[in-house]
Amino acid sequence: MRPIVIPSQAVTMNRRERRDARADRAFRLAMTSAGLIVLALLLGAAASMLWGGREALATFGLDFFGIADWDVGARRFGALVPIYGTLASATIALLIAVPVSFGIAVFLTELAPRRLRNAIGAAIELLAGIPSIIYGMWGLFVLAPMLGQHVYPWLNEHLGQIPVAGRLFQGPPLGIGMLTAGLVLAIMVIPFIASVMREVFLTVPSRLKESAYALGSTTWEVVWDVVVPYTRSAVIGGIFLGLGRALGETMAVTFVIGNAYSLSAALLEPGSSIASTIANEFAEAVDPLHRSSLLALGFVLFLLTFTVLALARLMLRRLQRKEGR
C-alpha cells in the first residue's frame, strides 16, 4: 500500500524541496564564483605586470630576453642574467633537495624508530614555517663565511681543474654566489618536498609492503619497487611544488646571491635572480624605463612559474594515463 500523504504534509515537502534546490544553486554559484575569482586574480596579476612592462618590451623587443646588460645609467636593460640566475639557483636547489627529501621520507616511514618519527616529522614541519628572511640572514652571516673559508677554496683547487666541468667551480671564494643561493634554497624547500613525500609514502597499503617482504625483498627493493611506483604522481607533484617555491623566493636569495649582473658559468661567482633584482631596485626605480623593465621581469617570472606548473600537470596527467592502462 502507498503511504497516505495529507495535503499539509505534501505542501511542506514541496517547500522543503524548493528550499533545498535554492540552497544548492546558491552553494554552486558561490563555489563557482570562488574558482573564477582565483582565475581572475591570476589573469589580472599577469596582465598588470605585462601592461607595466610594455615600455621595456616596446623599447628592446625580444632582445630584452637576450641582453646580458643591466645598466641603469645607460638605460639598457636585459633579462638574460636574472633569468639564468633564477633557473640555475633553482636547479641547484632541486639537485640537492630531492635526494635529501627522499632519504628523509624513507627514513621516517620505513626505518626510523617509532619514538623519532613524530619528533623529526614535527621538526621538518617547523622548518617550513621559518620566514625566508631568517634563512637569508643565516646564509649571509653563518653559511657564506664557512663556505668561503673551508669549502670553496677546496672546490676551486681540486674540482676547478677538471676539463669543461671545472668551470663550474672556478672563481674567487667569496662565500656568496650562485652555489650559496642554491644551497639556501635547497634548505628552504626540503621541508616542503619531504613533508609531501612522507605523507604520500604513508598512504601505501601495508599489505603491499608486507607481501614484498614476505617474498624476500630488501627494504630498498620494497621502497623502489613498491612504494615509489605507488606514489609516483604525488612525489613528482611535491617536487614541482618545491621548484615553484625555489623559483619565486626573494629575500633569502637576495642576501646570498651577490646581486651582480654578470653572466658566468662559475657557480662560485656572484649572480642575480629575477626576484632579487626586483627586490633590490624597485623602490629606487625613478626612470620609467627602469621601472617598466622591472615589471617586465616580474611578468617573466610569472611565465616561468606558470610554465613549470603547467609541465607538472601535463606530466602528472601522462603518468595517470599510464597507470590507468
Side-chain angles (χ1 to χ4, degrees):
M1 293 180 61
R2 294 184 179 179
I4 300 175
V5 180
I6 60 177
S8 60
Q9 291 178 336
V11 172
T12 303
M13 292 178 61
N14 290 334
R15 288 179 180 176
R16 182 175 180 180
E17 290 177 357
R18 289 195 297 269
R19 185 175 67 251
D20 292 344
R22 288 195 300 268
D24 188 59
R25 288 194 298 269
F27 178 77
R28 185 182 294 108
L29 178 62
M31 296 301 102
T32 303
S33 300
L36 293 177
I37 287 173
V38 173
L39 182 61
L41 290 175
L42 184 66
L43 295 177
S48 62
M49 287 184 290
L50 180 60
W51 179 257
R54 68 188 186 282
E55 183 177 352
L57 296 176
T59 302
F60 303 108
L62 294 178
D63 291 339
F64 177 77
F65 304 98
I67 298 175
D69 298 333
W70 189 274
D71 193 339
V72 178
R75 304 182 80 242
R76 181 173 175 82
F77 304 99
L80 182 59
V81 173
I83 291 175
Y84 168 75
T86 301
L87 295 177
S89 59
T91 302
I92 294 172
L94 279 191
L95 290 177
I96 299 172
V98 171
V100 174
S101 301
F102 181 80
I104 293 173
V106 172
F107 174 74
L108 292 179
T109 56
E110 303 295 334
L111 301 175
R114 192 174 298 274
R115 301 176 183 176
L116 294 179
R117 291 182 182 180
N118 294 332
I120 298 178
I124 293 173
E125 294 175 357
L126 288 175
L127 285 176
I130 297 177
S132 60
I133 192 171
I134 302 300
Y135 282 107
M137 295 175 64
W138 173 80
L140 179 63
F141 294 111
V142 178
L143 182 63
M146 182 188 68
L147 294 176
Q149 294 177 9
H150 305 290
V151 180
Y152 287 174
W154 186 90
L155 291 177
N156 194 357
E157 181 180 355
H158 294 83
L159 302 182
Q161 310 303 323
I162 300 175
V164 184
R167 297 181 57 187
L168 298 175
F169 304 100
Q170 295 176 353
L174 301 177
I176 58 175
M178 297 293 298
L179 185 56
T180 306
L183 288 172
V184 172
L185 284 177
I187 297 172
M188 293 183 65
V189 302
I190 281 175
F192 294 92
I193 301 177
S195 297
V196 173
M197 288 186 177
R198 173 173 173 259
E199 294 299 326
V200 298
F201 285 173
L202 290 174
T203 62
V204 179
S206 299
R207 293 181 180 180
L208 294 179
K209 295 188 289 186
E210 292 172 357
S211 300
Y213 282 123
L215 293 174
S217 300
T218 62
T219 303
W220 168 251
E221 290 173 340
V222 170
V223 171
W224 192 250
D225 297 330
V226 177
V227 176
V228 172
Y230 190 88
T231 60
R232 180 168 48 191
S233 300
V235 167
I236 293 177
I239 292 173
F240 276 96
L241 176 65
L243 177 59
R245 172 71 189 274
L247 288 173
E249 180 53 44
T250 304
M251 294 309 301
V253 175
T254 304
F255 273 92
V256 298
I257 199 170
N259 303 301
Y261 298 100
S262 59
L263 189 64
S264 174
L267 301 179
L268 306 186
E269 295 185 2
S272 181
S273 69
I274 295 176
S276 66
T277 300
I278 297 174
N280 280 324
E281 301 185 12
F282 196 82
E284 301 176 356
V286 179
D287 186 4
L289 183 59
H290 185 196
R291 188 182 302 110
S292 178
S293 299
L294 293 174
L295 289 172
L297 276 181
F299 180 71
V300 172
L301 181 58
F302 175 87
L303 288 181
L304 286 177
T305 307
F306 181 80
T307 301
V308 167
L309 296 179
L311 290 176
R313 295 293 301 177
L314 180 61
M315 183 179 299
L316 292 177
R317 186 174 300 177
R318 290 184 176 179
L319 287 176
Q320 289 173 356
R321 289 178 181 177
K322 291 181 179 179
E323 291 172 358
R325 292 176 184 174

